[in-house]
Amino acid sequence: MFLMKIVGHLIDIYILMIVANAILSWFPTSSRNPLVSFLNGAVEPALLPIRKLLEPIQGGVGIDFSPMALIFLLIFLRGLLMSLAV
């Protein structure tokens, strides 16, 4: 049960990293920035397969739903792990 709580907290931290990465993508930032580089390195490998499944909506401006889809998937996974821990 203790291990499941730790994994749950790690999933929460990863979700925050996904949100931070998505928000930073709205602003012009240098890829040489250590925070941007760290977040891209941690989040982009998980987003790539989802981006291949979900094409961005084009209508003048592309909207990328892959961070939201990954967050929903992680929330589902966290709930599944917590239900198994009980």
Side-chain angles (χ1 to χ4, degrees):
M1 177 142 169
F2 177 72
L3 182 61
M4 294 294 186
K5 284 187 179 186
I6 290 175
V7 172
H9 289 306
L10 290 174
I11 290 173
D12 290 339
I13 291 169
Y14 196 67
I15 288 172
L16 289 175
M17 291 170 63
I18 294 167
V19 171
N21 189 50
I23 291 172
L24 284 174
S25 73
W26 300 341
F27 302 101
T29 55
S30 170
S31 61
R32 299 172 83 193
N33 181 317
L35 176 63
V36 173
S37 178
F38 171 74
L39 289 174
N40 281 338
V43 172
E44 288 300 322
L47 291 176
L48 228 67
I50 297 172
R51 281 195 182 120
K52 289 180 182 179
L53 293 173
L54 300 173
E55 293 295 324
I57 295 175
Q58 299 296 326
V61 179
I63 300 174
D64 185 9
F65 286 106
S66 60
M68 187 170 47
L70 181 56
I71 289 171
F72 287 149
L73 182 67
L74 289 171
I75 289 171
F76 174 77
L77 180 64
R78 184 185 60 202
L80 185 65
L81 286 173
M82 292 302 142
S83 68
L84 293 174
V86 176

